[in-house]
Amino acid sequence: MTIAFVFPGQGAQTIGMGKALAEAYPAAKAVFDEVDAALGEALSQLIWDGDIDTLTLTQNAQPALMATSLAAMRALEAEGVSINKAAFVAGHSLGEYSALAAAGAISVADTARLLRTRGQAMQSAVPVGEGAMAAILGLDLEAVRAVAEEAAQGEVCQAANDNDPTQVVVSGAKAAVERAAEIAKEKGAKRAVMLPVSAPFHCALMQPAADVMAEALADVAITSPAVPLIANVRADAVTDPDEIRKLLVEQVTGSVRWRESVQSMAAKGVTEFWEIGAGKALSGMIRKIDRNLTSRQVGTAEDVAAITAG
């Protein structure tokens, strides 16, 4: 059995996530303390006892989800399961930063600061109300690309997240995305759902945020990860620090090729995926991508106990 560790993206956040891990494992608590110190604020207090709307703000959700994933990773390590148990790491959008931190390529403190910067830059790249995202259910990537092209009409409209064979997310100018949702239904999509997001992520409108991240990443130490990263925009393995830096910048405007990333890992022999952190969205996608693959959640102290018990 070959295992990959995968790390969730935005949308998985809940109030209270990681709290039981921090109470059960000093090493998990230390992650939250380190993130709080790096950001100069008590983000952990917001995560555990705060308001979900405040936690969901991009600038908060991104470092919060990373902290929860790294806390789960530290709990696994406390039980004798190291990052080297995995053949690969991967993450969905912001989860790619969690994967790199888990694999020792970027320090937890630097990752927290990068994600705070990334969240703020992505939020401010497009004025509120001018961008949108929609999940197209029941059409494959090529069909959604054709829909996006037809809907653009001179505006930005792109396939942003290729999540699984049944779900592709489009992103861009609000009117263009709304047109895409209608065209998709005409072309046979089962549903087209406008997403409750604050900005149009992973499309050309995010270029100002990509510029910010290029500058931020230039000042951060990145080393080779302990295990290879399957990068979002490439859907293949990367270990070179300079290449990782470049791909993290490209990722802001590029598509999250999650379906292809999972298929790439499966082609390299991975049969089981451990979803490290909050929620189980990635596990659901993985099942739809390939029913022969198995997945397990590692987000609570109970999950850690169950998985380390064998």
Side-chain angles (χ1 to χ4, degrees), residues 135-144 147 164-169 184-185 187-193 288:
I136 309 299
L137 308 179
L139 295 180
D140 66 15
L141 177 62
E142 290 311 313
V144 173
V147 165
D164 64 48
T166 70
Q167 183 195 120
V168 181
V169 175
K185 286 185 271 192
K187 303 268 189 194
K190 291 178 182 173
R191 289 172 67 205
V193 183
K288 289 174 181 171

Side-chain angles (χ1 to χ4, degrees), residues 8-301:
Q10 213 160 322
Q13 66 274 0
T14 56
I15 294 297
M17 62 183 183
K19 189 174 185 179
L21 284 170
E23 290 170 348
Y25 294 94
K29 172 70 162 56
V31 171
F32 288 104
D33 291 343
E34 189 173 355
V35 169
D36 286 354
L39 298 179
E41 65 182 66
L43 184 67
S44 59
Q45 194 173 336
L46 170 62
I47 298 169
W48 297 335
D49 301 304
D51 167 69
I52 187 62
D53 290 337
T54 306
L55 179 60
T56 298
L57 292 173
T58 304
Q59 66 187 51
N60 293 328
Q62 294 199 17
L65 284 161
M66 182 278 296
T68 304
S69 287
L70 267 289
M73 193 68 233
R74 296 291 180 262
L76 282 174
E77 289 166 355
E79 296 291 354
V81 178
S82 78
I83 191 71
N84 295 310
K85 175 89 170 175
F88 301 96
V89 293
H92 193 283
S93 190
L94 85 89
E96 191 155 276
Y97 285 79
S98 307
L100 287 165
I106 310 176
S107 73
V108 171
D110 279 341
T111 306
R113 286 188 287 263
L114 285 169
L115 286 173
R116 169 55 57 82
T117 299
R118 184 177 184 267
Q120 290 170 333
M122 292 173 86
Q123 182 62 65
S124 61
V126 179
V128 174
E130 290 189 13
M133 299 180 78
I136 309 299
L137 308 179
L139 295 180
D140 66 15
L141 177 62
E142 290 311 313
V144 173
R145 280 179 174 158
V147 165
E149 189 175 340
E150 183 179 338
Q153 297 179 20
E155 295 183 295
V156 171
C157 189
Q158 294 172 236
N161 300 350
D162 179 17
N163 286 333
D164 64 48
T166 70
Q167 183 195 120
V168 181
V169 175
V170 293
S171 181
K174 186 169 186 285
V177 171
E178 288 170 344
R179 286 192 294 270
E182 291 308 312
I183 292 167
K185 286 185 271 192
E186 292 165 11
K187 303 268 189 194
K190 291 178 182 173
R191 289 172 67 205
V193 183
M194 299 299 291
L195 298 179
V197 294
S198 53
F201 305 134
H202 298 292
C203 75
L205 294 176
M206 287 286 112
Q207 187 57 49
D211 295 341
V212 169
M213 291 313 295
E215 196 171 318
L217 283 156
D219 294 332
V220 168
I222 301 178
T223 59
S224 294
V227 297
L229 171 78
I230 302 296
N232 280 189
V233 296
R234 184 173 290 176
D236 205 356
V238 58
T239 57
D240 178 69
D242 290 336
E243 194 69 11
I244 288 168
R245 199 186 310 272
K246 175 171 156 287
L247 294 175
L248 287 174
V249 176
E250 288 181 19
Q251 186 222 56
V252 179
T253 55
S255 296
V256 176
R257 296 168 60 184
W258 187 252
R259 175 183 58 85
E260 292 174 273
S261 294
V262 171
Q263 289 172 335
S264 174
M265 287 182 271
K268 296 178 196 318
V270 172
T271 55
E272 183 168 307
F273 292 79
W274 291 13
E275 185 168 3
I276 313 289
K280 53 186 178 181
L282 299 184
S283 297
M285 293 175 197
I286 289 163
R287 278 193 296 275
K288 289 174 181 171
I289 292 165
D290 187 339
R291 297 231 169 247
N292 294 317
L293 302 173
T294 59
S295 56
R296 303 180 72 169
Q297 283 80 50
V298 188
T300 66

